Amino acid sequence: FSDTICPWCYVGAKRVEQFSELFDVEVKWWPFELHPETPPDGRHIDELMAPNNPRRVAMRDHLKNIAAESELELVSNRTVANSHLALEAAEFARDRGKFKEMHDALFKAYFTEAKNIGDMDVVTEIVTAVGLDADEWRAESASGRYAELIDFATSVARKQGISSTPTMVFDDRFVVQGAQDLN
């Protein structure tokens, strides 16, 4: 289970990719909206925590170091996006055989380009960049089909006790939370 605004999912996706190169596993990412309370336009990070809060600085620096260890660039995004639309776009892409490309592109847009992946124009730009039709995406988004899917998947996960991302489930019985190190 993953959310496109979760920095630990960004790191975890890279680690899962490395893990799957070492072991014969089937990986299927499921959407999980981590913060459904985030307004549609997102929130400015300073609304959540004071800019120079020592705890915030330490957390950011630690996360940047962990990302660097996984050979990932991580910039500080000033907007905490509402991830629902991005998760919808990933499912739209899954139905067209482009989930991995979309998943990776959403992470890159949010964590290396500091784009607001809760914005329709930004998400449409990413949809187009991975080779999907923008008009079809907008029509599908307007239909609400993928919004319902995200809400349902998140609801099912919460009923199963999942409350954080990333969460990996192995063989439908072993649950591992967090961006675990391969060692």
Side-chain angles (χ1 to χ4, degrees):
F1 293 89
S2 176
D3 192 340
T4 50
I5 63 160
C6 170
W8 294 108
C9 293
Y10 176 52
V11 172
K14 178 72 170 189
R15 290 178 173 176
V16 166
E17 184 177 306
Q18 294 167 333
F19 182 83
S20 66
E21 290 170 2
L22 297 172
F23 301 97
D24 184 25
V25 295
E26 179 183 343
V27 176
K28 185 164 184 180
W29 292 102
W30 287 100
F32 183 89
E33 187 178 15
L34 190 57
H35 291 291
E37 75 282 359
T38 303
D41 292 340
R43 280 195 163 133
H44 194 275
I45 190 76
D46 294 337
E47 293 175 37
L48 303 172
M49 200 180 288
N52 296 317
N53 178 305
R55 181 174 172 219
R56 176 177 166 186
V57 171
M59 286 177 5
R60 182 196 64 221
D61 291 346
H62 175 68
L63 183 56
K64 281 187 174 187
N65 288 335
I66 296 291
E69 288 172 9
S70 295
E71 300 177 358
L72 294 170
E73 180 184 5
L74 183 68
V75 299
S76 294
N77 195 325
R78 308 305 298 163
T79 300
V80 176
N82 179 305
S83 62
H84 205 280
L85 190 64
L87 293 169
E88 291 175 44
E91 295 307 309
F92 169 80
R94 183 190 313 270
D95 284 350
R96 287 147 186 84
K98 296 266 191 174
F99 178 82
K100 181 176 179 355
E101 295 88 343
M102 179 61 77
H103 195 234
D104 293 348
L106 288 164
F107 278 140
K108 180 181 179 200
Y110 193 64
F111 290 110
T112 69
E113 298 168 359
K115 292 184 177 179
N116 180 356
I117 59 172
D119 179 88
M120 176 57 91
D121 290 337
V122 170
V123 173
T124 301
E125 177 184 304
I126 298 166
V127 164
T128 303
V130 301
L132 297 172
D133 184 85
D135 292 333
E136 182 184 12
W137 154 244
R138 286 184 183 269
E140 287 283 358
S141 178
S143 78
R145 181 176 89 135
Y146 290 105
E148 290 174 7
L149 178 70
I150 300 310
D151 293 342
F152 177 75
T154 300
S155 173
V156 167
R158 289 189 192 282
K159 287 176 185 170
Q160 293 177 355
I162 294 170
S163 61
S164 64
T165 57
T167 296
M168 276 74 61
V169 180
F170 294 91
D171 205 22
D172 288 328
R173 42 188 187 155
F174 302 108
V175 177
V176 178
Q177 294 181 325
Q180 301 297 318
D181 193 346
L182 289 178
N183 297 323

